[in-house]
Amino acid sequence: MTQTQTSFTDLFSRALQGSPVHIVGLEDNPKHLPVQDWTRDADPADLALLDLCPTCTIDVGCGPGRLTSALAARGQIVLGIDIVSEAVGQTRSRGAAAVVRDVFKPMPGEGRWQNALLADGNIGIGGDPVALLARLRELISDHGRIVVEVKETGVAMKTLWATLECGEATSRPFRWAIVGLDDIEQVAARAGLVVTSRHPIGDRWAVVLQVHQ
């Protein structure tokens, strides 16, 4: 079978539109992209995670807007950002504000956000968690916080090359990182941040990071 190479954004859009898409390279075997976990409404665990973002929040890698819209429903100022236009469109259709934007490009409200959210494994964006956290440090205020969902204890930090696949189409390889509780403190420190709290949320874990004073 001849594979046709396309972009990450094209295949992620197809997944959000209902096509079966697999991610290859993060585990021993291809894994179905869990789109249903992102397109559903926020569940109690999600809401507990969002309790860590009590004020204006930028949701980095918002996807189809499950969490962005839940924050908006609370009456909070929130902005979702994603590089995939389909994801941003679906977020807006839920009634939340969102823009198509690379987190490393200029951003609305730079230095004034009180919370930045990295949920659903988005600490992996770009394959360099130190660079990503350092960038988010630029987006938040001096007393702001970064809320990061991480893997549980015992999961070693690693950076991998991955691709998305849908039928005969495959994306160009992209870098992705995995970070767990054992490594987040040293990753945060390298970005000039400190871990101020750790939160078990069902079978998930979140940490709160703040600027080292």
Side-chain angles (χ1 to χ4, degrees):
M1 181 183 297
T2 303
Q3 292 290 102
T4 302
Q5 191 170 78
T6 186
S7 66
F8 168 90
T9 56
D10 174 50
L11 288 190
F12 198 84
S13 294
R14 294 191 204 182
L16 293 178
Q17 293 164 354
S19 296
V21 175
H22 291 81
I23 187 165
V24 179
L26 297 188
E27 298 182 5
D28 292 339
N29 297 308
K31 180 181 178 181
H32 183 71
L33 208 62
V35 176
Q36 70 282 353
D37 291 339
W38 306 327
T39 54
R40 60 172 172 75
D41 291 335
D43 64 15
D46 292 327
L47 298 178
L49 174 66
L50 297 182
D51 288 342
L52 302 174
C53 300
T55 48
C56 65
T57 299
I58 185 165
D59 182 6
V60 179
C62 66
R66 175 180 100 258
L67 302 178
T68 312
S69 61
L71 285 171
R74 293 179 170 184
Q76 293 179 218
I77 296 172
V78 59
L79 178 68
I81 66 165
D82 206 288
I83 63 170
V84 180
S85 296
E86 177 68 23
V88 168
Q90 291 190 21
T91 299
R92 290 174 176 171
S93 71
R94 291 175 180 247
V99 294
V100 179
R101 198 66 55 91
D102 181 331
V103 67
F104 292 100
K105 302 296 184 182
M107 200 68 57
E110 294 228 9
R112 299 194 300 274
W113 292 99
Q114 294 172 14
N115 305 281
L117 175 62
L118 287 172
D120 298 329
N122 283 336
I123 184 65
I125 290 172
D128 187 342
V130 174
L132 178 59
L133 291 177
R135 173 59 180 141
L136 296 193
R137 182 185 172 190
E138 296 174 344
L139 297 184
I140 61 173
S141 67
D142 290 342
H143 300 289
R145 51 168 50 188
I146 303 170
V147 177
V148 185
E149 188 171 347
V150 294
K151 295 293 186 181
E152 66 274 13
T153 298
V155 176
M157 184 171 68
K158 53 188 173 182
T159 300
L160 304 160
W161 285 101
T163 58
L164 299 182
E165 294 185 359
C166 179
E168 298 180 11
T170 184
S171 74
R172 287 181 283 276
F174 59 92
R175 295 284 274 174
W176 196 261
I178 295 171
V179 181
L181 281 170
D182 297 337
D183 297 298
I184 187 60
E185 192 167 336
Q186 60 96 357
V187 170
R190 290 171 60 195
L193 300 159
V194 293
V195 177
T196 56
S197 59
R198 301 171 181 236
H199 303 266
I201 301 172
D203 60 355
R204 298 157 66 182
W205 281 90
V207 297
V208 175
L209 312 179
Q210 292 185 280
V211 177
H212 181 68
Q213 300 295 330

PDB file of all heavy atoms in Angstrom, residues 32-54:
ATOM      1  N   HIS A  32      -5.396   4.116  18.621  1.00  0.00           N
ATOM      2  CA  HIS A  32      -6.477   4.933  18.087  1.00  0.00           C
ATOM      3  C   HIS A  32      -6.497   6.286  18.797  1.00  0.00           C
ATOM      4  O   HIS A  32      -6.439   6.356  20.023  1.00  0.00           O
ATOM      5  CB  HIS A  32      -7.821   4.219  18.283  1.00  0.00           C
ATOM      6  CG  HIS A  32      -8.980   4.963  17.704  1.00  0.00           C
ATOM      7  ND1 HIS A  32      -9.182   5.090  16.349  1.00  0.00           N
ATOM      8  CD2 HIS A  32      -9.997   5.642  18.296  1.00  0.00           C
ATOM      9  CE1 HIS A  32     -10.275   5.796  16.127  1.00  0.00           C
ATOM     10  NE2 HIS A  32     -10.782   6.153  17.290  1.00  0.00           N
ATOM     11  N   LEU A  33      -6.533   7.366  18.033  1.00  0.00           N
ATOM     12  CA  LEU A  33      -6.572   8.699  18.629  1.00  0.00           C
ATOM     13  C   LEU A  33      -7.890   8.843  19.394  1.00  0.00           C
ATOM     14  O   LEU A  33      -8.970   8.690  18.821  1.00  0.00           O
ATOM     15  CB  LEU A  33      -6.477   9.744  17.519  1.00  0.00           C
ATOM     16  CG  LEU A  33      -5.861  11.100  17.852  1.00  0.00           C
ATOM     17  CD1 LEU A  33      -4.409  10.937  18.289  1.00  0.00           C
ATOM     18  CD2 LEU A  33      -5.945  12.018  16.643  1.00  0.00           C
ATOM     19  N   PRO A  34      -7.826   9.131  20.703  1.00  0.00           N
ATOM     20  CA  PRO A  34      -9.034   9.095  21.543  1.00  0.00           C
ATOM     21  C   PRO A  34      -9.901  10.348  21.392  1.00  0.00           C
ATOM     22  O   PRO A  34     -10.171  11.078  22.352  1.00  0.00           O
ATOM     23  CB  PRO A  34      -8.462   8.966  22.957  1.00  0.00           C
ATOM     24  CG  PRO A  34      -7.159   9.703  22.887  1.00  0.00           C
ATOM     25  CD  PRO A  34      -6.608   9.428  21.496  1.00  0.00           C
ATOM     26  N   VAL A  35     -10.361  10.578  20.177  1.00  0.00           N
ATOM     27  CA  VAL A  35     -11.110  11.803  19.887  1.00  0.00           C
ATOM     28  C   VAL A  35     -12.370  11.899  20.743  1.00  0.00           C
ATOM     29  O   VAL A  35     -12.783  12.994  21.151  1.00  0.00           O
ATOM     30  CB  VAL A  35     -11.456  11.863  18.388  1.00  0.00           C
ATOM     31  CG1 VAL A  35     -12.322  13.071  18.074  1.00  0.00           C
ATOM     32  CG2 VAL A  35     -10.175  11.903  17.567  1.00  0.00           C
ATOM     33  N   GLN A  36     -12.976  10.752  21.038  1.00  0.00           N
ATOM     34  CA  GLN A  36     -14.211  10.783  21.826  1.00  0.00           C
ATOM     35  C   GLN A  36     -13.976  11.358  23.217  1.00  0.00           C
ATOM     36  O   GLN A  36     -14.895  11.927  23.824  1.00  0.00           O
ATOM     37  CB  GLN A  36     -14.817   9.370  21.935  1.00  0.00           C
ATOM     38  CG  GLN A  36     -14.044   8.385  22.784  1.00  0.00           C
ATOM     39  CD  GLN A  36     -12.814   7.801  22.092  1.00  0.00           C
ATOM     40  OE1 GLN A  36     -12.590   8.035  20.906  1.00  0.00           O
ATOM     41  NE2 GLN A  36     -12.025   7.026  22.832  1.00  0.00           N
ATOM     42  N   ASP A  37     -12.753  11.262  23.735  1.00  0.00           N
ATOM     43  CA  ASP A  37     -12.443  11.839  25.047  1.00  0.00           C
ATOM     44  C   ASP A  37     -12.355  13.358  24.976  1.00  0.00           C
ATOM     45  O   ASP A  37     -12.488  14.034  26.013  1.00  0.00           O
ATOM     46  CB  ASP A  37     -11.118  11.287  25.573  1.00  0.00           C
ATOM     47  CG  ASP A  37     -11.200   9.815  25.931  1.00  0.00           C
ATOM     48  OD1 ASP A  37     -12.319   9.314  26.152  1.00  0.00           O
ATOM     49  OD2 ASP A  37     -10.146   9.159  25.980  1.00  0.00           O
ATOM     50  N   TRP A  38     -12.105  13.901  23.793  1.00  0.00           N
ATOM     51  CA  TRP A  38     -11.935  15.348  23.634  1.00  0.00           C
ATOM     52  C   TRP A  38     -13.216  16.037  23.176  1.00  0.00           C
ATOM     53  O   TRP A  38     -13.413  17.216  23.466  1.00  0.00           O
ATOM     54  CB  TRP A  38     -10.812  15.637  22.636  1.00  0.00           C
ATOM     55  CG  TRP A  38      -9.524  14.962  22.984  1.00  0.00           C
ATOM     56  CD1 TRP A  38      -9.045  14.693  24.239  1.00  0.00           C
ATOM     57  CD2 TRP A  38      -8.546  14.448  22.073  1.00  0.00           C
ATOM     58  NE1 TRP A  38      -7.831  14.057  24.158  1.00  0.00           N
ATOM     59  CE2 TRP A  38      -7.502  13.894  22.850  1.00  0.00           C
ATOM     60  CE3 TRP A  38      -8.437  14.416  20.689  1.00  0.00           C
ATOM     61  CZ2 TRP A  38      -6.365  13.316  22.274  1.00  0.00           C
ATOM     62  CZ3 TRP A  38      -7.321  13.837  20.111  1.00  0.00           C
ATOM     63  CH2 TRP A  38      -6.302  13.295  20.894  1.00  0.00           C
ATOM     64  N   THR A  39     -14.076  15.309  22.463  1.00  0.00           N
ATOM     65  CA  THR A  39     -15.281  15.929  21.914  1.00  0.00           C
ATOM     66  C   THR A  39     -16.485  15.830  22.862  1.00  0.00           C
ATOM     67  O   THR A  39     -17.484  16.496  22.643  1.00  0.00           O
ATOM     68  CB  THR A  39     -15.645  15.281  20.571  1.00  0.00           C
ATOM     69  OG1 THR A  39     -15.759  13.859  20.738  1.00  0.00           O
ATOM     70  CG2 THR A  39     -14.573  15.574  19.521  1.00  0.00           C
ATOM     71  N   ARG A  40     -16.385  15.000  23.890  1.00  0.00           N
ATOM     72  CA  ARG A  40     -17.494  14.897  24.853  1.00  0.00           C
ATOM     73  C   ARG A  40     -17.549  16.147  25.722  1.00  0.00           C
ATOM     74  O   ARG A  40     -16.676  17.004  25.660  1.00  0.00           O
ATOM     75  CB  ARG A  40     -17.296  13.659  25.741  1.00  0.00           C
ATOM     76  CG  ARG A  40     -16.006  13.691  26.547  1.00  0.00           C
ATOM     77  CD  ARG A  40     -15.907  12.576  27.558  1.00  0.00           C
ATOM     78  NE  ARG A  40     -14.594  12.519  28.185  1.00  0.00           N
ATOM     79  CZ  ARG A  40     -14.149  13.344  29.112  1.00  0.00           C
ATOM     80  NH1 ARG A  40     -14.917  14.340  29.541  1.00  0.00           N
ATOM     81  NH2 ARG A  40     -12.949  13.205  29.629  1.00  0.00           N
ATOM     82  N   ASP A  41     -18.587  16.220  26.558  1.00  0.00           N
ATOM     83  CA  ASP A  41     -18.657  17.297  27.540  1.00  0.00           C
ATOM     84  C   ASP A  41     -17.689  17.013  28.693  1.00  0.00           C
ATOM     85  O   ASP A  41     -17.313  15.854  28.932  1.00  0.00           O
ATOM     86  CB  ASP A  41     -20.074  17.420  28.096  1.00  0.00           C
ATOM     87  CG  ASP A  41     -21.057  17.938  27.054  1.00  0.00           C
ATOM     88  OD1 ASP A  41     -20.614  18.629  26.109  1.00  0.00           O
ATOM     89  OD2 ASP A  41     -22.257  17.632  27.180  1.00  0.00           O
ATOM     90  N   ALA A  42     -17.299  18.045  29.394  1.00  0.00           N
ATOM     91  CA  ALA A  42     -16.410  17.887  30.556  1.00  0.00           C
ATOM     92  C   ALA A  42     -17.082  17.025  31.616  1.00  0.00           C
ATOM     93  O   ALA A  42     -18.274  17.193  31.906  1.00  0.00           O
ATOM     94  CB  ALA A  42     -16.061  19.247  31.131  1.00  0.00           C
ATOM     95  N   ASP A  43     -16.329  16.071  32.162  1.00  0.00           N
ATOM     96  CA  ASP A  43     -16.860  15.191  33.202  1.00  0.00           C
ATOM     97  C   ASP A  43     -16.384  15.688  34.576  1.00  0.00           C
ATOM     98  O   ASP A  43     -15.666  16.685  34.667  1.00  0.00           O
ATOM     99  CB  ASP A  43     -16.455  13.732  32.941  1.00  0.00           C
ATOM    100  CG  ASP A  43     -14.952  13.493  33.015  1.00  0.00           C
ATOM    101  OD1 ASP A  43     -14.208  14.361  33.532  1.00  0.00           O
ATOM    102  OD2 ASP A  43     -14.501  12.424  32.551  1.00  0.00           O
ATOM    103  N   PRO A  44     -16.795  15.026  35.668  1.00  0.00           N
ATOM    104  CA  PRO A  44     -16.399  15.509  36.998  1.00  0.00           C
ATOM    105  C   PRO A  44     -14.896  15.629  37.198  1.00  0.00           C
ATOM    106  O   PRO A  44     -14.434  16.566  37.877  1.00  0.00           O
ATOM    107  CB  PRO A  44     -17.024  14.469  37.938  1.00  0.00           C
ATOM    108  CG  PRO A  44     -18.245  13.990  37.203  1.00  0.00           C
ATOM    109  CD  PRO A  44     -17.815  13.945  35.760  1.00  0.00           C
ATOM    110  N   ALA A  45     -14.108  14.710  36.623  1.00  0.00           N
ATOM    111  CA  ALA A  45     -12.649  14.822  36.756  1.00  0.00           C
ATOM    112  C   ALA A  45     -12.137  16.055  36.030  1.00  0.00           C
ATOM    113  O   ALA A  45     -11.259  16.772  36.534  1.00  0.00           O
ATOM    114  CB  ALA A  45     -11.975  13.565  36.220  1.00  0.00           C
ATOM    115  N   ASP A  46     -12.684  16.327  34.849  1.00  0.00           N
ATOM    116  CA  ASP A  46     -12.294  17.536  34.126  1.00  0.00           C
ATOM    117  C   ASP A  46     -12.607  18.779  34.949  1.00  0.00           C
ATOM    118  O   ASP A  46     -11.804  19.711  35.036  1.00  0.00           O
ATOM    119  CB  ASP A  46     -13.050  17.629  32.796  1.00  0.00           C
ATOM    120  CG  ASP A  46     -12.657  16.563  31.801  1.00  0.00           C
ATOM    121  OD1 ASP A  46     -11.481  16.154  31.796  1.00  0.00           O
ATOM    122  OD2 ASP A  46     -13.526  16.146  31.023  1.00  0.00           O
ATOM    123  N   LEU A  47     -13.787  18.792  35.545  1.00  0.00           N
ATOM    124  CA  LEU A  47     -14.198  19.963  36.326  1.00  0.00           C
ATOM    125  C   LEU A  47     -13.306  20.153  37.548  1.00  0.00           C
ATOM    126  O   LEU A  47     -13.006  21.286  37.941  1.00  0.00           O
ATOM    127  CB  LEU A  47     -15.667  19.834  36.731  1.00  0.00           C
ATOM    128  CG  LEU A  47     -16.663  19.771  35.557  1.00  0.00           C
ATOM    129  CD1 LEU A  47     -18.079  19.598  36.080  1.00  0.00           C
ATOM    130  CD2 LEU A  47     -16.548  21.002  34.674  1.00  0.00           C
ATOM    131  N   ALA A  48     -12.861  19.036  38.144  1.00  0.00           N
ATOM    132  CA  ALA A  48     -11.924  19.137  39.269  1.00  0.00           C
ATOM    133  C   ALA A  48     -10.591  19.716  38.804  1.00  0.00           C
ATOM    134  O   ALA A  48      -9.966  20.516  39.506  1.00  0.00           O
ATOM    135  CB  ALA A  48     -11.723  17.767  39.907  1.00  0.00           C
ATOM    136  N   LEU A  49     -10.162  19.326  37.615  1.00  0.00           N
ATOM    137  CA  LEU A  49      -8.943  19.899  37.039  1.00  0.00           C
ATOM    138  C   LEU A  49      -9.115  21.400  36.821  1.00  0.00           C
ATOM    139  O   LEU A  49      -8.224  22.203  37.151  1.00  0.00           O
ATOM    140  CB  LEU A  49      -8.621  19.205  35.715  1.00  0.00           C
ATOM    141  CG  LEU A  49      -7.453  19.772  34.901  1.00  0.00           C
ATOM    142  CD1 LEU A  49      -6.130  19.569  35.631  1.00  0.00           C
ATOM    143  CD2 LEU A  49      -7.403  19.126  33.520  1.00  0.00           C
ATOM    144  N   LEU A  50     -10.270  21.794  36.313  1.00  0.00           N
ATOM    145  CA  LEU A  50     -10.521  23.208  36.029  1.00  0.00           C
ATOM    146  C   LEU A  50     -10.657  24.040  37.292  1.00  0.00           C
ATOM    147  O   LEU A  50     -10.480  25.264  37.244  1.00  0.00           O
ATOM    148  CB  LEU A  50     -11.763  23.353  35.160  1.00  0.00           C
ATOM    149  CG  LEU A  50     -11.668  22.710  33.767  1.00  0.00           C
ATOM    150  CD1 LEU A  50     -12.930  22.964  32.973  1.00  0.00           C
ATOM    151  CD2 LEU A  50     -10.442  23.211  33.010  1.00  0.00           C
ATOM    152  N   ASP A  51     -10.955  23.401  38.428  1.00  0.00           N
ATOM    153  CA  ASP A  51     -10.974  24.128  39.701  1.00  0.00           C
ATOM    154  C   ASP A  51      -9.610  24.735  40.017  1.00  0.00           C
ATOM    155  O   ASP A  51      -9.511  25.679  40.814  1.00  0.00           O
ATOM    156  CB  ASP A  51     -11.400  23.206  40.848  1.00  0.00           C
ATOM    157  CG  ASP A  51     -12.879  22.858  40.808  1.00  0.00           C
ATOM    158  OD1 ASP A  51     -13.652  23.567  40.130  1.00  0.00           O
ATOM    159  OD2 ASP A  51     -13.266  21.858  41.454  1.00  0.00           O
ATOM    160  N   LEU A  52      -8.558  24.188  39.406  1.00  0.00           N
ATOM    161  CA  LEU A  52      -7.209  24.719  39.606  1.00  0.00           C
ATOM    162  C   LEU A  52      -6.963  25.975  38.774  1.00  0.00           C
ATOM    163  O   LEU A  52      -5.900  26.592  38.889  1.00  0.00           O
ATOM    164  CB  LEU A  52      -6.169  23.647  39.266  1.00  0.00           C
ATOM    165  CG  LEU A  52      -6.260  22.336  40.058  1.00  0.00           C
ATOM    166  CD1 LEU A  52      -5.257  21.314  39.525  1.00  0.00           C
ATOM    167  CD2 LEU A  52      -6.015  22.601  41.539  1.00  0.00           C
ATOM    168  N   CYS A  53      -7.924  26.330  37.916  1.00  0.00           N
ATOM    169  CA  CYS A  53      -7.828  27.519  37.065  1.00  0.00           C
ATOM    170  C   CYS A  53      -8.984  28.458  37.405  1.00  0.00           C
ATOM    171  O   CYS A  53      -9.948  28.579  36.642  1.00  0.00           O
ATOM    172  CB  CYS A  53      -7.896  27.132  35.596  1.00  0.00           C
ATOM    173  SG  CYS A  53      -6.605  26.009  35.031  1.00  0.00           S
ATOM    174  N   PRO A  54      -8.933  29.131  38.564  1.00  0.00           N
ATOM    175  CA  PRO A  54     -10.100  29.874  39.046  1.00  0.00           C
ATOM    176  C   PRO A  54     -10.316  31.226  38.396  1.00  0.00           C
ATOM    177  O   PRO A  54     -11.355  31.850  38.617  1.00  0.00           O
ATOM    178  CB  PRO A  54      -9.801  30.035  40.536  1.00  0.00           C
ATOM    179  CG  PRO A  54      -8.299  30.080  40.600  1.00  0.00           C
ATOM    180  CD  PRO A  54      -7.824  29.133  39.540  1.00  0.00           C
TER     181      PRO A  54
END
